[in-house]
Every structure is written in structure tokens, then in C-alpha cells.
Amino acid sequence: MSRNARLIYSADYTRYYFHDEHPFNQRRLLLTYDLMSAYGLLNDADILPPRMATDEELALIHDPRYIQFVRQQGESDAELPLAAGYGIGTEDVPCFRQMHEAAALIVGGTLQAVDAVMNGQAEHAFNPAGGLHHAFRGRASGFCIYNDCSVAIAYLRKHWDARILYIDTDAHHGDGVQWAFYDDPNVLTVSLHETGKYLFPGTGSLTERGEGSGYGYTVNIPLEAFTEDQSFLDIYHELVPKLARGFKPDVIVTQNGCDAHAYDPLTHLSCSMRIYQEIPRLAHRLAHEWCQGRWIAVGGGGYDIWRVVPRAWTLLWSEMTDQPLTDGPLPEAWRSRWQPLSSLELPARLFDDPFPPIPRRAEITEKNRITLERALMYAPIGADN
């Protein structure tokens, strides 16, 4: 096993909990950790517990008044009068007890990953609880209270003066991260996501390219609904290496939401488990090519917690630790343990059987290709490579 990676993990992550019917269900982390273990991919030395992010660290991105309100709301049994103005108490972000502590632990987990990589403890680190990319400076949004991705990037800028390539392959646009660094030429944000025409948060168009000295350092690929594996991967493999060559990052941060899968109940993309092997494989290669291996990965969206998330993030950890997995039956001990708790039939194999082709495949593929060409036209840091 590679000793060059760390998994930031604790069962305490499940305290980030809205209610039983909410689609954001952190039981997915327990399932994922158990699947990694069932495959024999984990040793005790690989695991680092998360720490709590301090208020000072959170304030690298978040308004101190917002931080204080989240803490107060988490200490109250009733919704406070100003909650809606902070994006809390909504259908997406309901109130719950100790919400500040639960959210700050996730941010601290991502900062723990940053410290492990930047201090040379490991080349790579993965915080599966992270990836809460929708939260803004003073407002919760899209299941996200604090934005661990943005805090981690600001932390990298402050303590290491690093140039960061942020790659977001969640089906939902990484809006909170984009706007936090929209004018910063030292942070290149790249988001491949389902078009906002039909999906939250409705942003991430081609015309969002950055501003001021950061113009060109925001790259969005709004994919057509029902995009399949080959179109997704063709764009990813052409776009990301080109941008990395032009930008020459010091560190790569990847947000690994796995809600582009055809089984996901909240999106309209039609990908399979294949992309969740290829996405981290390319990120891994680019980290060694440009960043002396420095790669920080976080989780993100993923709302089929039984069939998709555990397999996708196990594949990521497999790649990160140089323990390649091939298709085959999932460990029977894992399936036997979790099947009684699931209303869905758990997958029998690591990869999916081929899905029926989408009838509009050629049209969707062509539209995505045009989107890529237009995005590259306005990305000066990569257009000539």
C-alpha cells in the first residue's frame, strides 16, 4: 500500500444531520468507509481524524456575524428570527442542534487534509465529508452551511501563497467557490456540471469567466441534461490537462461530487461508475506532473447513498493510494451488512452494466463539444496549449 495518502475520517461527521427525509444523508460516509475496509484498502496509519476549524479560519471566507449566528441557532430549539436571511431554516438547510460544531468539523477535516499535504506528511489527502461548495460568505445554500472548499483555498493562499487549480465535477455548479475567487488570478476554478437551465443553483454559464485580474480564471462547462460517460470524459480529458499546462498550479484541489450518475435522484445526467474511476485518475496524474504530487480531494454531492456514493469514493481512494480495483463482485460482507437497511437493491459489482443509450446522444454530444470550444476560446491561460 502507498503511504503517500491520508483519509480524513470520523464517524462524528454524521452529526451534520438535517432530518430523516432530507436528501443529504451522511450515512453515505459510513457505507463508503465500510466498503473501503471490505476491499482491504485501509490501514490505521492511513486515517487522520478531523479537527474543528476555528472561527478565525472560518472567517477567511465567512462573515463573523454569520458564524456567530450559526452557533446561536445551533444552541436554540426554535428557529431564530434572522434565520431565513442567513439561508437557514429553509427546505434545503433546516436548523439542527449543534449545527456550527458539525459544520466546523467538516471544514476542519478539509484543513487537516491541506496541512497533511502542504507540510509533507502525505502527497495526497481525501476528506469525503467535504465538498460543501454552495455556501457563501454570509449565507447557507444548497445543503451547505460553511464552504470547506473555499476556506481551504483561502487557507492555502494565506499560509503557502499557493496557486490552486480547483476542479469541481459535481453535477451542481460550484457557485460558492467560484464567486469567492472570481477576481483572483492565483485560483483557477473549473466546473463541469449540468446546465443551470434545469438544475440548482442555476449558475455556471459560459459567460461567467472571472473579472478584473481574474478574468479567464473561471472556466465553466455547463453540460446538457442526459450527458453520458463518453461525452463527459472527452471534455474532461481535453479541458483539464490543457488548463493545468497553462496555469501551472502548486496544488490541485478536487471536489468529487458523484451526482452525475444516472441513478442520482436530484440531477439529470446519465453517467455510470466509469467516470468515477477516470476523474481521479487524471487528477492524480496532473498532481504529479505539475504539483509534486500535492492533491487534496473532498467529497460533495451524491444522493443515491446506497448504489453510487460508496463505489465512487472507494474508486477515488483506490486511485489515490495506488491500489487499483478492477470490475468484479462487491465484497459480500459489505452487501450482507447493508442490504437489510436499504430499500434499493445494492449493486452486485463495482462497475455498472451498460446503460441503454440516450436517444439524443449525437445531439447532446455535439452541443457539449461546442460548449467546450467556446469555453477554451475565453480561457487565455490554456487556449494556446
Side-chain angles (χ1 to χ4, degrees), residues 159-182:
H159 294 286
W160 286 277
D161 193 27
R163 288 168 61 81
I164 300 106
L165 172 58
Y166 172 77
I167 306 167
D168 190 321
T169 49
D170 196 290
H172 300 88
H173 176 233
D175 56 341
V177 183
Q178 170 181 295
W179 301 123
F181 303 100
Y182 205 55

Side-chain angles (χ1 to χ4, degrees), residues 54-66:
T54 66
D55 285 9
E56 181 182 7
E57 289 166 342
L58 294 171
L60 291 171
I61 288 294
H62 295 291
D63 189 319
R65 292 170 296 182
Y66 173 62

Side-chain angles (χ1 to χ4, degrees), residues 232-374:
F232 186 106
L233 290 175
D234 285 348
I235 289 170
Y236 177 72
H237 282 293
E238 182 170 343
L239 174 72
V240 176
K242 188 171 290 190
L243 295 176
R245 283 196 299 273
F247 184 63
K248 297 178 177 58
D250 298 313
V251 58
I252 292 174
V253 177
T254 61
Q255 197 271 15
N256 296 273
C258 49
D259 46 2
H261 195 281
Y263 290 161
D264 196 274
L266 299 189
T267 74
H268 313 97
L269 298 180
S270 297
C271 296
S272 78
M273 202 53 57
R274 178 185 167 202
I275 72 169
Y276 299 114
Q277 184 176 57
E278 291 296 322
I279 288 169
R281 180 176 288 167
L282 178 60
H284 194 181
R285 177 171 69 79
L286 293 175
H288 284 289
E289 185 173 350
W290 296 108
C291 310
Q292 298 179 295
R294 290 186 290 267
W295 173 27
I296 297 148
V298 293
Y303 308 101
D304 189 319
I305 71 168
W306 302 101
R307 298 179 296 178
V308 175
V309 179
R311 292 189 293 163
W313 291 347
T314 295
L315 282 168
L316 189 159
W317 180 248
S318 163
E319 173 63 35
M320 184 173 271
T321 56
D322 297 314
Q323 301 177 97
L325 295 176
T326 57
D327 193 21
L330 290 178
E332 185 55 37
W334 181 83
R335 295 187 78 249
S336 298
R337 187 175 301 116
W338 293 103
Q339 185 60 73
L341 301 176
S342 173
S343 61
L344 299 168
E345 179 69 23
L346 297 183
R349 304 181 69 85
L350 180 60
F351 288 89
D352 301 305
D353 292 332
F355 296 139
I358 296 297
R360 295 174 48 245
R361 174 183 286 176
E363 177 187 348
I364 291 168
T365 299
E366 178 61 20
K367 286 184 175 180
N368 286 340
R369 167 59 51 178
I370 292 170
T371 297
L372 173 64
E373 292 170 355
R374 290 176 176 170

Side-chain angles (χ1 to χ4, degrees), residues 1-271:
M1 165 177 287
S2 169
R3 296 266 69 85
N4 291 327
R6 296 292 182 270
L7 182 73
I8 317 301
Y9 179 80
S10 170
D12 289 343
Y13 279 147
T14 58
R15 295 177 183 175
Y16 193 93
Y17 172 78
F18 296 114
H19 55 73
D20 285 348
E21 283 72 45
H22 197 284
F24 191 94
N25 187 336
Q26 293 290 58
R27 176 180 276 183
R28 62 193 185 149
L29 301 178
L30 304 180
L31 284 148
T32 299
Y33 183 85
D34 197 42
L35 185 58
M36 291 175 181
S37 299
Y39 270 114
L41 301 179
L42 292 173
N43 286 330
D44 289 345
D46 303 322
I47 300 164
L48 287 177
R51 63 173 177 81
M52 291 279 291
T54 66
D55 285 9
E56 181 182 7
E57 289 166 342
L58 294 171
L60 291 171
I61 288 294
H62 295 291
D63 189 319
R65 292 170 296 182
Y66 173 62
I67 299 167
Q68 184 59 26
F69 179 83
V70 173
R71 178 180 280 107
Q72 291 172 346
Q73 179 61 77
E75 294 170 351
S76 174
D77 290 324
E79 183 179 316
L80 299 178
L82 296 177
Y86 287 113
I88 293 172
T90 64
E91 184 177 2
D92 278 0
V93 189
C95 305
F96 63 94
R97 294 285 295 182
Q98 303 300 307
M99 60 193 309
H100 166 79
E101 289 76 10
L105 185 67
I106 291 174
V107 177
T110 301
L111 296 180
Q112 189 86 305
V114 170
D115 285 336
V117 168
M118 300 306 289
N119 291 329
Q121 185 178 0
E123 289 182 324
H124 324 309
F126 177 31
N127 178 22
L132 304 182
H133 59 169
H134 293 306
F136 295 98
R137 174 168 171 77
R139 179 167 57 88
S141 178
F143 315 156
C144 306
I145 297 169
Y146 296 139
N147 192 321
D148 66 292
C149 305
S150 293
V151 173
I153 292 170
Y155 187 80
L156 282 161
R157 293 288 305 128
K158 177 180 178 180
H159 294 286
W160 286 277
D161 193 27
R163 288 168 61 81
I164 300 106
L165 172 58
Y166 172 77
I167 306 167
D168 190 321
T169 49
D170 196 290
H172 300 88
H173 176 233
D175 56 341
V177 183
Q178 170 181 295
W179 301 123
F181 303 100
Y182 205 55
D183 61 353
D184 189 343
N186 295 295
V187 181
L188 172 56
T189 63
V190 183
S191 181
L192 281 74
H193 51 270
E194 182 183 336
T195 172
K197 293 176 184 177
Y198 316 109
L199 189 70
F200 175 90
T203 54
S205 72
L206 282 169
T207 58
E208 295 165 23
R209 302 173 186 137
E211 64 183 8
S213 60
Y215 184 80
Y217 293 85
T218 295
V219 179
N220 285 301
I221 304 293
L223 299 167
E224 294 294 307
F226 307 110
T227 291
E228 298 166 284
D229 288 350
Q230 197 59 53
S231 180
F232 186 106
L233 290 175
D234 285 348
I235 289 170
Y236 177 72
H237 282 293
E238 182 170 343
L239 174 72
V240 176
K242 188 171 290 190
L243 295 176
R245 283 196 299 273
F247 184 63
K248 297 178 177 58
D250 298 313
V251 58
I252 292 174
V253 177
T254 61
Q255 197 271 15
N256 296 273
C258 49
D259 46 2
H261 195 281
Y263 290 161
D264 196 274
L266 299 189
T267 74
H268 313 97
L269 298 180
S270 297
C271 296

